[in-house]
Amino acid sequence: MRPSAPTPEEQAALWADRRRCGEMDAAADQALRAWLAEAPDRARLLDAQERLLTDPALAAVSARLAAEAGRSGRVGLHPAPRLFHRWSSRLWVGGLAAAACAALAVLMWPSAPVVVEQRLEGVAGQSLQAALEDGSLIQLNGDSRVRTAFGPERRDVWLSGEGFFSVAKDAKRPFSVLTATHRITALGTRFNVDERSGGAVEVTVLEGRVEVVPLNHPERRQVLNAGRRLLSDGAAGPIQRLDADVTTPDWTEGWIDADNMSLADLLIELKRRSPGLKAELADPALSRRRISGRFAASEPQDVLATIADMQGLTLRREASGRLLIER
């Protein structure tokens, strides 16, 4: 009988263990990014498994089993044992395997706490405002969506697109926004999270402070205070100071404030605000060009014409109605 395909939870466990044991090279980082991008909930699964691996109870079990193995003369354990190997492998060897599996089962499948879930989705051209279960407020940009899971110890929000959050204070339940590549955590604050192309995330903090953690490189965490903005692509990016008069994100007032923004990201912003907009770059290399300026999101064709003129490019409308920016 062929072994069944690994579940996303099993895959997350293996990725978490590889990261824990320092077995990630450039190829593994790229494979992990691809795996995370395949489904919006995978960042949550990886985060949960990494929290599990740092659980004090699991560390105690591991230490006890290592001590027992040392006394019995058995081999197969080392100071930082692998907790998950290949899909069909055992956790430990010899007579310790059953005890280890039982201990891990208690830790990995505890009785589920009460969790309140909500799903919200904004359509292109329209923003959506809503109150969450904990009293926090969210404003979604067009063509954006969130799923929340609020439990007794944490408040998690999975975001695809762009959202502006006013977080209700609750020191006992951290509030985290997870994208495909980052986790942004706050206790009580107002901040904006914008998914960009290539797995990058722009975070703008208007009140309080947040922690930004790239899921592939948690050691590169950065803390943002009020009045700061960060564009993170997994590396430790520069933190920018906002103008003193900025009180809300630009998109909530119908504007796109581009500050060295890539053309790829500008197209994403326009499509969020313009239902049915069909616009592309003729050459993928153009996506890396940068633009700065303040543009009215309600006039996408005028914006594209202006950008083409600024970049020495041409805007052409095809018979299908698609707008094409080309050299």
Side-chain angles (χ1 to χ4, degrees):
M1 180 182 296
R2 294 182 61 186
S4 59
T7 66
E9 289 79 6
E10 290 170 332
Q11 293 173 322
L14 287 176
W15 280 120
D17 196 39
R18 289 185 67 179
R19 285 156 58 97
R20 170 181 174 270
C21 295
E23 297 180 356
M24 299 294 290
D25 55 17
D29 279 339
Q30 184 176 1
L32 175 56
R33 286 194 295 271
W35 180 80
L36 287 168
E38 288 177 0
D41 66 336
R42 291 190 173 179
R44 172 186 63 83
L45 294 176
L46 179 62
D47 183 60
Q49 292 294 344
E50 291 188 329
R51 289 173 183 262
L52 170 66
L53 291 181
T54 59
D55 190 294
L58 182 57
V61 170
S62 177
R64 177 173 61 81
L65 292 173
E68 291 179 5
R71 288 195 297 270
S72 65
R74 287 177 176 158
V75 297
L77 290 169
H78 50 85
R82 290 292 303 270
L83 299 184
F84 307 100
H85 295 280
R86 295 182 179 88
W87 304 121
S88 59
S89 65
R90 297 180 181 275
L91 293 173
W92 279 282
V93 297
L96 296 179
C101 289
L104 284 173
V106 172
L107 290 170
M108 293 185 70
W109 292 283
S111 57
V114 176
V115 176
V116 178
E117 294 193 2
Q118 291 177 268
R119 294 177 185 269
L120 301 169
E121 184 169 351
V123 299
Q126 299 179 24
S127 63
L128 173 67
Q129 300 184 52
L132 302 180
E133 178 272 339
D134 66 333
S136 297
L137 302 177
I138 180 174
Q139 185 171 355
L140 281 179
N141 202 344
D143 196 25
S144 301
R145 57 203 58 84
V146 295
R147 178 171 62 85
T148 71
F150 289 177
E153 296 182 351
R154 53 194 295 182
R155 297 170 289 171
D156 291 335
V157 178
W158 291 272
L159 169 71
S160 175
E162 184 171 13
F164 178 42
F165 301 87
S166 296
V167 180
K169 293 184 179 181
D170 187 345
K172 295 181 179 179
R173 295 195 301 165
F175 186 105
S176 295
V177 176
L178 295 103
T179 70
T181 56
H182 288 71
R183 182 177 70 241
I184 301 97
T185 301
L187 291 177
T189 185
R190 295 170 66 238
F191 64 100
N192 191 77
V193 179
D194 181 9
E195 275 194 316
R196 297 290 184 88
S197 59
V201 170
E202 183 187 72
V203 181
T204 303
V205 182
L206 299 175
E207 291 181 10
R209 63 203 300 258
V210 304
E211 177 188 60
V212 180
V213 180
L215 295 178
N216 287 350
H217 296 285
E219 73 281 1
R220 297 175 182 172
R221 62 181 290 274
Q222 291 180 271
V223 176
L224 269 69
N225 294 316
R228 300 293 188 272
R229 173 183 289 135
L230 168 69
L231 180 62
S232 172
D233 60 0
I239 296 176
Q240 300 177 329
R241 183 187 297 271
L242 301 178
D243 292 338
D245 59 349
V246 175
T247 58
T248 58
D250 55 350
W251 65 267
T252 63
E253 299 177 347
W255 293 95
I256 299 175
D257 286 335
D259 182 6
N260 198 35
M261 181 182 288
S262 71
L263 294 189
D265 288 332
L266 187 60
L267 280 181
I268 291 174
E269 294 288 342
L270 285 172
K271 289 178 179 179
R272 286 175 182 164
R273 304 299 297 167
S274 305
L277 175 64
K278 297 178 181 179
E280 305 294 340
L281 299 169
D283 183 353
L286 296 177
S287 65
R288 296 189 293 272
R289 290 202 181 187
R290 301 281 168 173
I291 193 79
S292 295
R294 184 174 173 84
F295 306 99
S298 60
E299 303 293 339
Q301 186 166 343
D302 290 345
V303 172
L304 292 174
T306 300
I307 291 170
D309 185 62
M310 293 172 65
Q311 294 282 322
L313 303 172
T314 300
L315 178 65
R316 177 169 61 88
R317 179 183 291 275
E318 296 181 323
S320 64
R322 183 178 71 155
L323 297 171
L324 196 64
I325 297 179
E326 54 192 5
R327 297 180 189 276

